[in-house]
Amino acid sequence: MIELEHLSKTFAGKDSVHALRDVSLTVQKGEIYGVIGYSGAGKSTLIRCINLLERPDTGTVRVDGVELTSLSASALNRERRKIGMIFQQFNLFATRTVLDNVAYPLRFSGMSRKAIREKAEALLKYVELSDKRDAYPSQLSGGQKQRVAIARALACDPKVLLCDEATSALDPQTTASILQLIRRLNREMGITVVMITHQMQVVKEACHRVAVMENGRVVEEGDVFSIFAHPRQEITRTFVDSTTNLNKVEDLLEEGAEITRLKPGEMLVRLSYQRGSAAEAIVSTVSRNFGVDVNILLGSLELIEGALLGGLVVVFSGQRQGIESALNYFREKNVGVEVIADADPA
Amino acid sequence: MQTLLEQIFPNVMASPDKFWESVWATVVMTAWAGALMFVIGLCLGLLMVVLKPGGILACPLAYQVLDKAVNLIRSIPFVILIALLMYVTKAIMGTRIGIRGVIVPLVVGSAPFFSRQVEAALSDIPAGLIEAAKAMGSSPLGIIFRVYLKEGAAAIARGTTITLISLIGLTAMAGYVGAGGLGDYSITYGYNYNRMDIVWASVIAIVALVCLIQMIGTLVAKKNTH
Ligand SMILES: Nc1ncnc2c1ncn2[C@@H]1O[C@H](COP(=O)(O)OP(=O)(O)OP(=O)(O)O)[C@@H](O)[C@H]1O
Ligand SMILES: [Mg+2]
């Protein structure tokens, strides 16, 4: 659906900035594609190149088979109507009502006033804001503003929706509801979504595939599950870690916290669930079959695309032999095992 | 009432026609020059915003020329502008005296100031709105009419108010070319004959005019703010 080939962009200035360095990526029809990276990585520049709000110095942009980089200004404007975009700052027109904001892209599109009004009302219904149609943007909350912006972006029946940090100005609950809306329009209307974010949580909740950007390059790309399960780059690992609390165990160890002081016969272990890990009650099975106590200190498990992902930090206590068998049992079930600390056998 | 006015403004009431004539001349000059100033200044201001580096029709060279020209004209005192423009006025209006003769200098003297007001008003519109409009496929002309002029309406109304009031100030000098008006009235009949009541009457008329403009401006600005 979206094919970016060898995009480069340098901002001239006192010290020129390489915002994009030879970026190529392909977004499939109907998927939600995430782009994550730290501030200044070039994410916004990348997404703005998709509808040519920013013109790349070199490279080509193709959306739905049309090479945008070779179009005339007016042809580009026509194509842009098929690419919706929403922003961190919502960018609603303050002097227009909610309904008029949604109707904005429809005016001068050949539709009658009545048809425009009906369509705008239907879109407001879709984003569950029918009751606010005559309000002005200044009377809306952040989440409501973003819903209006989404309705406006959908007005011309786009094939693609670009979201530049669409949830970064919102609280976690509102973020979740906006992400839910984006997933819904992706599912129900088949709209391909590109989503820029610096929050891994957003990627985890909404995206199918993700690219990680650093210094103007895409350093890692893949489906969300594999990125979470097997991050290859250091930066990806940092992002993945930001969504779990399992690393707290290192802090606890350093601080010498009470719960990490092992008594004889105990072992501190990190268990990681990966693709193919069994979703059954392994912990209680282990405890029953091998006669070891399993004390869960930290846990962060999540269902991503129907598979269990994350890990546990646990303390085993019992006979050395029992613990060894338990560890082997976990390995058999495709759960990663890492011994963090080991006290002397009892 | 009549006698009271005659007591307070004896010289004004001695020939009230002169007074009303002067008020009318000020109103006519302000209206004509104001209308032309509005159109020309709005166009110049819009041009500067869209031609600016980073604008929707960026053309840094054209912007530089415009920017410098506006600064240059603004730095010329109005009275000198009248003299400087005499042949231009004659060519455009057919005469360089009377109300017709002062309109051109009034417009040239106020439009650059107004164009700055417009430029400031439009520059305050968040860049994100322009981006959003672009992303929705609006053409530059569409952005000018549907975003800049609409979103900037309130600020433009405030700028218009300020410029019209300063324009009234300029019309006070129209007496130099025989265009009359309240400035001329208070100097010729008040100052020259030590008739304070004439000066006061002029002040009251000017203040009333300014208040009226201010009220309308505030109303329009309010109507366009949400
Ligand atoms: N118009 C511009 N002029 C000059 N430099 C720019 C411009 N836009 C972006 N940059 C620079 O390009 C680099 C990438 O910017 P970009 O906005 O794409 O980052 P980002 O990943 O979106 O960051 P953030 O998460 O803060 O939004 C930055 O170093 C930025 O300073
Ligand atoms: Mg950004």
Side-chain angles (χ1 to χ4, degrees):
Chain A
M1 186 53 123
I2 301 172
E3 294 151 278
L4 308 178
E5 277 167 22
H6 306 295
L7 297 189
S8 294
K9 176 83 191 177
T10 308
F11 289 107
K14 208 153 70 234
D15 14 41
S16 60
V17 184
H18 275 275
L20 295 179
R21 302 170 199 247
D22 194 27
V23 173
S24 299
L25 56 85
T26 304
V27 179
Q28 304 298 334
K29 193 172 165 59
E31 73 178 343
I32 302 184
Y33 192 94
V35 178
I36 192 166
Y38 289 121
S39 195
K43 309 180 298 288
S44 295
T45 310
L46 179 69
I47 202 168
R48 290 158 50 83
C49 278
I50 297 178
N51 58 3
L52 294 191
L53 282 182
E54 207 77 73
R55 219 166 242 286
D57 298 334
T58 60
T60 56
V61 176
R62 221 169 298 124
V63 177
D64 199 22
V66 180
E67 191 178 320
L68 300 184
T69 26
S70 64
L71 291 181
S72 70
S74 63
L76 174 62
N77 280 337
R78 269 197 302 281
E79 287 304 316
R80 275 177 174 164
R81 293 192 192 141
K82 300 182 201 155
I83 306 174
M85 188 168 195
I86 58 174
F87 307 83
Q88 179 173 1
Q89 297 309 328
F90 321 121
N91 292 343
L92 299 178
F93 300 117
T95 60
R96 292 172 194 267
T97 62
V98 163
L99 193 72
D100 288 343
N101 263 283
V102 178
Y104 179 95
L106 296 172
R107 292 286 309 278
F108 308 107
S109 66
M111 282 170 79
S112 74
R113 271 175 187 275
K114 185 158 166 284
I116 289 175
R117 196 182 165 82
E118 277 164 11
K119 175 131 201 209
E121 276 171 359
L123 285 162
L124 280 181
K125 188 148 179 250
Y126 190 77
V127 300
E128 296 162 10
L129 273 180
S130 293
D131 53 327
K132 295 284 184 197
R133 51 176 227 182
D134 294 322
Y136 283 93
S138 59
Q139 299 163 317
L140 302 181
S141 72
Q144 290 170 332
K145 282 183 196 164
Q146 198 58 289
R147 280 169 188 275
V148 176
I150 290 173
R152 186 176 68 174
L154 297 180
C156 291
D157 303 312
K159 301 194 172 76
V160 173
L161 179 66
L162 308 175
C163 314
D164 191 355
E165 309 252 13
T167 59
S168 296
L170 306 174
D171 64 60
Q173 225 164 351
T174 315
T175 296
S177 79
I178 293 294
L179 292 181
Q180 202 179 357
L181 175 60
I182 291 173
R183 273 204 312 267
R184 182 152 70 95
L185 63 89
N186 165 259
R187 202 172 53 236
E188 295 176 354
M189 305 179 171
I191 296 174
T192 307
V193 181
V194 180
M195 200 183 271
I196 299 284
T197 182
H198 55 248
Q199 296 163 297
M200 204 59 181
Q201 198 63 36
V202 169
V203 171
K204 192 148 95 177
E205 279 177 34
C207 300
H208 303 126
R209 284 202 300 146
V210 60
V212 183
M213 279 194 82
E214 190 175 25
N215 286 328
R217 285 195 185 85
V218 171
V219 292
E220 194 164 352
E221 195 201 3
D223 65 89
V224 170
F225 192 95
S226 0
I227 291 282
F228 270 90
H230 308 288
R232 288 191 301 273
Q233 300 289 330
E234 184 59 38
I235 177 173
T236 316
R237 217 163 293 141
T238 320
F239 274 119
V240 169
D241 286 348
S242 72
T243 63
T244 78
N245 62 2
L246 295 182
N247 297 304
K248 255 196 233 151
V249 68
E250 268 120 45
D251 298 338
L252 291 176
L253 277 173
E254 213 159 281
E255 291 163 14
E258 182 66 35
I259 46 167
T260 60
R261 258 177 250 148
L262 300 182
K263 290 187 268 301
E266 289 185 338
M267 191 188 275
L268 184 63
V269 178
R270 187 198 325 248
L271 303 171
S272 345
Y273 287 71
Q274 304 152 3
R275 193 191 288 283
S277 294
E280 60 202 63
I282 314 181
V283 171
S284 51
T285 310
V286 160
S287 166
R288 215 166 34 240
N289 291 4
F290 305 106
V292 292
D293 287 330
V294 186
N295 178 19
I296 299 176
L297 297 186
L298 297 167
S300 169
L301 283 173
E302 226 147 336
L303 272 177
I304 295 185
E305 294 169 15
L308 208 51
L309 191 66
L312 299 171
V313 173
V314 299
V315 176
F316 288 113
S317 58
Q319 293 296 323
R320 177 55 35 152
Q321 208 187 344
I323 294 179
E324 292 294 346
S325 322
L327 294 186
N328 281 328
Y329 182 76
F330 275 112
R331 290 189 188 104
E332 264 167 42
K333 292 289 175 186
N334 220 346
V335 173
V337 172
E338 181 195 349
V339 178
I340 301 170
D342 190 1
D344 295 327
Chain B
M1 188 67 191
Q2 188 73 19
T3 48
L4 184 69
L5 280 178
E6 271 164 14
Q7 267 172 13
I8 306 176
F9 299 109
N11 299 301
V12 177
M13 294 312 284
S15 53
D17 289 356
K18 242 336 352 93
F19 173 72
W20 290 116
E21 212 173 86
S22 305
V23 173
W24 184 239
T26 296
V27 169
V28 168
M29 283 188 282
T30 310
W32 271 108
L36 291 168
M37 165 283 284
F38 183 80
V39 174
I40 294 171
L42 191 62
C43 292
L44 284 177
L46 266 170
L47 268 179
M48 284 198 279
V49 170
V50 299
L51 293 176
K52 229 182 227 180
I56 53 173
L57 295 170
C59 178
L61 184 71
Y63 173 75
Q64 283 300 324
V65 171
L66 216 54
D67 183 59
K68 296 287 179 300
V70 163
N71 279 349
L72 184 83
I73 296 172
R74 274 191 64 190
S75 66
I76 304 174
F78 182 63
V79 181
I80 298 178
L81 206 55
I82 294 178
L84 184 69
L85 290 172
M86 60 184 172
Y87 289 110
V88 180
T89 303
K90 173 101 179 151
I92 297 176
M93 306 298 282
T95 175
R96 53 191 225 206
I97 56 166
I99 289 187
R100 287 170 71 90
V102 84
I103 297 289
V104 172
L106 281 176
V107 171
V108 176
S110 59
F113 176 68
F114 183 55
S115 73
R116 285 285 180 224
Q117 300 278 335
V118 173
E119 188 192 8
L122 301 186
S123 301
D124 273 350
I125 295 171
L129 294 192
I130 313 300
E131 296 253 281
K134 267 200 218 169
M136 288 186 280
S138 284
S139 64
L141 218 57
I143 293 175
I144 287 174
F145 283 104
R146 303 181 66 202
V147 185
Y148 274 131
L149 291 183
K150 180 129 178 65
E151 297 296 316
I156 291 174
R158 283 190 290 271
T160 309
T161 310
I162 295 171
T163 316
L164 281 181
I165 291 170
S166 82
L167 184 62
I168 290 180
L170 297 187
T171 65
M173 283 176 263
Y176 283 109
V177 290
L182 285 163
D184 185 43
Y185 179 67
S186 56
I187 293 289
T188 313
Y189 299 96
Y191 182 87
N192 289 349
Y193 295 98
N194 289 323
R195 289 172 183 161
M196 240 358 239
D197 67 314
I198 289 209
V199 179
W200 281 117
S202 306
V203 168
I204 290 168
I206 289 280
V207 169
L209 215 54
V210 167
C211 284
L212 186 72
I213 289 172
Q214 185 73 59
M215 251 164 55
I216 296 172
T218 308
L219 199 74
V220 174
K222 213 166 168 181
K223 268 231 156 359
N224 285 286
T225 310
H226 299 281

Coordinates of all heavy atoms in Angstrom, one line a residue, chain A residues 131-172:
Chain A
D131 N -23.4 14.3 19.7 CA -24.0 15.3 20.5 C -23.1 16.6 20.5 O -23.6 17.6 21.0 CB -24.2 14.8 21.9 CG -22.9 14.2 22.5 OD1 -22.1 13.6 21.7 OD2 -22.7 14.3 23.7
K132 N -21.9 16.5 20.0 CA -21.0 17.7 20.1 C -20.9 18.4 18.7 O -20.1 19.3 18.5 CB -19.6 17.3 20.4 CG -19.5 16.7 21.8 CD -19.5 17.8 22.9 CE -19.3 17.2 24.2 NZ -19.7 18.1 25.3
R133 N -21.8 18.1 17.8 CA -21.6 18.6 16.4 C -21.6 20.1 16.3 O -21.0 20.7 15.4 CB -22.6 18.0 15.5 CG -24.0 18.1 16.0 CD -25.0 17.6 15.0 NE -26.0 18.6 14.9 CZ -27.1 18.5 14.1 NH1 -27.2 17.4 13.3 NH2 -28.0 19.4 14.1
D134 N -22.4 20.8 17.2 CA -22.4 22.2 17.1 C -21.4 22.9 18.1 O -21.5 24.1 18.2 CB -23.8 22.7 17.3 CG -24.8 22.2 16.2 OD1 -24.3 22.2 15.0 OD2 -25.9 21.9 16.5
A135 N -20.6 22.1 18.8 CA -19.7 22.7 19.7 C -18.5 23.2 18.9 O -18.3 22.8 17.7 CB -19.2 21.7 20.7
Y136 N -17.7 24.1 19.5 CA -16.4 24.6 18.9 C -15.3 23.8 19.6 O -15.4 23.3 20.7 CB -16.2 26.1 19.1 CG -17.1 26.9 18.1 CD1 -18.4 27.3 18.5 CD2 -16.7 27.1 16.9 CE1 -19.2 28.0 17.6 CE2 -17.5 27.8 16.0 CZ -18.7 28.3 16.4 OH -19.5 28.9 15.5
P137 N -14.2 23.6 18.8 CA -13.1 22.8 19.4 C -12.7 23.2 20.8 O -12.3 22.3 21.6 CB -12.0 23.0 18.4 CG -12.7 23.2 17.1 CD -13.9 24.0 17.5
S138 N -12.7 24.5 21.1 CA -12.3 24.9 22.4 C -13.1 24.4 23.5 O -12.8 24.4 24.7 CB -12.3 26.5 22.5 OG -13.6 27.0 22.2
Q139 N -14.3 23.9 23.2 CA -15.2 23.3 24.2 C -15.0 21.8 24.4 O -15.8 21.2 25.1 CB -16.6 23.6 23.8 CG -16.9 25.1 23.7 CD -18.2 25.4 22.9 OE1 -18.5 24.8 21.9 NE2 -19.0 26.4 23.4
L140 N -14.0 21.2 23.7 CA -13.9 19.8 23.8 C -12.6 19.4 24.6 O -11.7 20.1 24.7 CB -13.7 19.2 22.4 CG -14.8 19.5 21.3 CD1 -14.5 18.8 20.0 CD2 -16.1 19.0 21.9
S141 N -12.7 18.2 25.1 CA -11.5 17.6 25.8 C -10.5 17.1 24.7 O -10.9 17.0 23.5 CB -11.9 16.5 26.7 OG -12.2 15.4 25.9
G142 N -9.3 16.8 25.1 CA -8.3 16.3 24.2 C -8.7 15.1 23.4 O -8.6 15.0 22.2
G143 N -9.3 14.2 24.1 CA -9.7 12.9 23.5 C -10.8 13.2 22.5 O -10.8 12.6 21.4
Q144 N -11.7 14.1 22.8 CA -12.8 14.4 21.9 C -12.3 15.1 20.7 O -12.7 14.9 19.6 CB -13.9 15.3 22.6 CG -14.6 14.6 23.7 CD -15.5 15.5 24.5 OE1 -15.2 16.7 24.7 NE2 -16.6 15.0 25.1
K145 N -11.3 16.0 20.9 CA -10.7 16.7 19.8 C -10.1 15.7 18.8 O -10.2 15.8 17.6 CB -9.6 17.7 20.2 CG -10.1 19.0 20.8 CD -9.0 19.9 21.2 CE -9.5 21.0 22.1 NZ -8.5 21.7 22.8
Q146 N -9.4 14.7 19.4 CA -8.7 13.8 18.5 C -9.8 12.9 17.7 O -9.6 12.6 16.6 CB -7.8 12.9 19.3 CG -6.7 12.1 18.4 CD -5.9 13.1 17.6 OE1 -6.3 13.7 16.6 NE2 -4.6 13.2 18.0
R147 N -10.9 12.7 18.4 CA -12.0 12.0 17.7 C -12.5 12.8 16.5 O -12.8 12.2 15.4 CB -13.1 11.6 18.6 CG -12.9 10.4 19.5 CD -13.9 10.3 20.6 NE -13.4 9.2 21.5 CZ -13.7 8.0 21.2 NH1 -14.4 7.6 20.2 NH2 -13.2 7.0 22.0
V148 N -12.7 14.1 16.7 CA -13.1 15.0 15.6 C -12.1 14.9 14.5 O -12.4 14.8 13.3 CB -13.3 16.4 16.1 CG1 -13.7 17.3 15.0 CG2 -14.4 16.5 17.2
A149 N -10.8 15.0 14.9 CA -9.7 15.0 13.9 C -9.8 13.7 13.1 O -9.6 13.7 11.9 CB -8.4 15.2 14.6
I150 N -10.1 12.6 13.8 CA -10.2 11.3 13.1 C -11.3 11.3 12.1 O -11.2 10.9 11.0 CB -10.3 10.1 14.1 CG1 -8.9 10.0 14.8 CG2 -10.6 8.8 13.4 CD1 -9.0 9.0 16.0
A151 N -12.5 11.8 12.6 CA -13.7 11.9 11.7 C -13.3 12.7 10.5 O -13.7 12.4 9.4 CB -14.8 12.5 12.5
R152 N -12.6 13.9 10.7 CA -12.3 14.7 9.6 C -11.3 14.0 8.6 O -11.5 14.1 7.4 CB -11.6 16.0 10.1 CG -11.3 17.0 9.1 CD -10.8 18.3 9.7 NE -9.4 18.1 10.3 CZ -8.7 19.1 10.7 NH1 -9.2 20.3 10.8 NH2 -7.5 18.8 11.2
A153 N -10.4 13.2 9.2 CA -9.4 12.5 8.4 C -10.1 11.4 7.5 O -9.6 11.1 6.5 CB -8.3 11.9 9.2
L154 N -11.2 10.9 8.0 CA -11.9 9.9 7.3 C -12.9 10.4 6.3 O -13.5 9.6 5.5 CB -12.7 9.0 8.3 CG -11.9 8.2 9.4 CD1 -12.9 7.4 10.3 CD2 -10.9 7.3 8.7
A155 N -13.1 11.7 6.2 CA -14.2 12.3 5.5 C -14.1 11.9 4.0 O -15.1 11.7 3.4 CB -14.2 13.8 5.6
C156 N -12.9 11.9 3.4 CA -12.8 11.6 2.0 C -12.6 10.1 1.7 O -12.0 9.7 0.7 CB -11.7 12.4 1.4 SG -12.1 14.2 1.3
D157 N -13.0 9.2 2.6 CA -12.9 7.8 2.5 C -11.4 7.4 2.1 O -11.2 6.8 1.1 CB -13.8 7.2 1.4 CG -15.2 7.5 1.7 OD1 -15.7 7.3 2.8 OD2 -15.9 8.0 0.8
P158 N -10.5 7.8 3.0 CA -9.1 7.5 2.7 C -8.8 6.0 2.7 O -9.5 5.3 3.3 CB -8.3 8.3 3.8 CG -9.3 8.2 5.0 CD -10.6 8.3 4.4
K159 N -7.7 5.7 2.0 CA -7.2 4.3 2.1 C -6.2 4.2 3.1 O -5.8 3.1 3.6 CB -6.6 3.9 0.7 CG -7.6 4.1 -0.4 CD -7.0 3.4 -1.7 CE -8.1 3.3 -2.7 NZ -8.3 4.6 -3.4
V160 N -5.6 5.3 3.5 CA -4.5 5.3 4.4 C -4.7 6.4 5.5 O -5.2 7.5 5.2 CB -3.1 5.7 3.7 CG1 -2.0 5.9 4.7 CG2 -2.8 4.6 2.7
L161 N -4.4 6.1 6.7 CA -4.5 7.1 7.8 C -3.1 7.2 8.4 O -2.5 6.2 8.9 CB -5.5 6.6 8.9 CG -5.6 7.6 10.1 CD1 -6.2 8.9 9.6 CD2 -6.5 7.0 11.2
L162 N -2.6 8.4 8.4 CA -1.3 8.7 9.1 C -1.5 9.3 10.4 O -2.2 10.3 10.6 CB -0.4 9.6 8.2 CG -0.3 9.2 6.7 CD1 0.4 10.3 5.9 CD2 0.4 7.9 6.6
C163 N -0.8 8.8 11.4 CA -1.0 9.3 12.8 C 0.3 9.7 13.4 O 1.2 8.9 13.6 CB -1.6 8.3 13.7 SG -3.0 7.4 13.1
D164 N 0.6 11.0 13.5 CA 1.8 11.5 14.1 C 1.7 11.8 15.5 O 1.1 12.8 15.9 CB 2.3 12.7 13.3 CG 3.7 13.1 13.7 OD1 4.3 12.4 14.6 OD2 4.3 14.1 13.1
E165 N 2.1 10.8 16.4 CA 2.0 11.0 17.8 C 0.6 11.3 18.2 O 0.3 12.2 19.1 CB 2.9 12.1 18.3 CG 4.3 11.9 17.8 CD 5.3 11.4 18.9 OE1 4.8 11.0 20.0 OE2 6.5 11.5 18.7
A166 N -0.4 10.6 17.6 CA -1.8 11.0 17.8 C -2.3 10.9 19.3 O -3.2 11.5 19.7 CB -2.7 10.1 16.9
T167 N -1.6 10.1 20.1 CA -2.0 9.9 21.5 C -1.0 10.5 22.5 O -1.3 10.4 23.7 CB -2.2 8.4 21.8 OG1 -0.9 7.8 21.6 CG2 -3.2 7.8 20.9
S168 N 0.0 11.2 22.0 CA 1.0 11.6 22.9 C 0.6 12.7 23.9 O 1.1 13.0 24.9 CB 2.3 12.1 22.2 OG 2.8 11.1 21.5
A169 N -0.5 13.5 23.5 CA -1.0 14.5 24.4 C -2.1 14.1 25.3 O -2.8 14.9 25.9 CB -1.4 15.7 23.5
L170 N -2.4 12.8 25.3 CA -3.5 12.3 26.0 C -3.2 11.4 27.2 O -2.1 10.8 27.2 CB -4.4 11.5 25.0 CG -4.8 12.2 23.7 CD1 -5.5 11.2 22.8 CD2 -5.7 13.4 24.0
D171 N -4.1 11.3 28.2 CA -3.8 10.5 29.3 C -4.0 9.0 28.9 O -4.6 8.7 27.9 CB -4.7 10.9 30.5 CG -6.2 10.6 30.1 OD1 -6.6 9.5 29.9 OD2 -6.9 11.6 30.1
P172 N -3.5 8.1 29.7 CA -3.5 6.7 29.4 C -4.9 6.1 29.0 O -5.0 5.4 28.0 CB -3.0 6.0 30.6 CG -2.2 7.0 31.3 CD -2.8 8.3 31.0

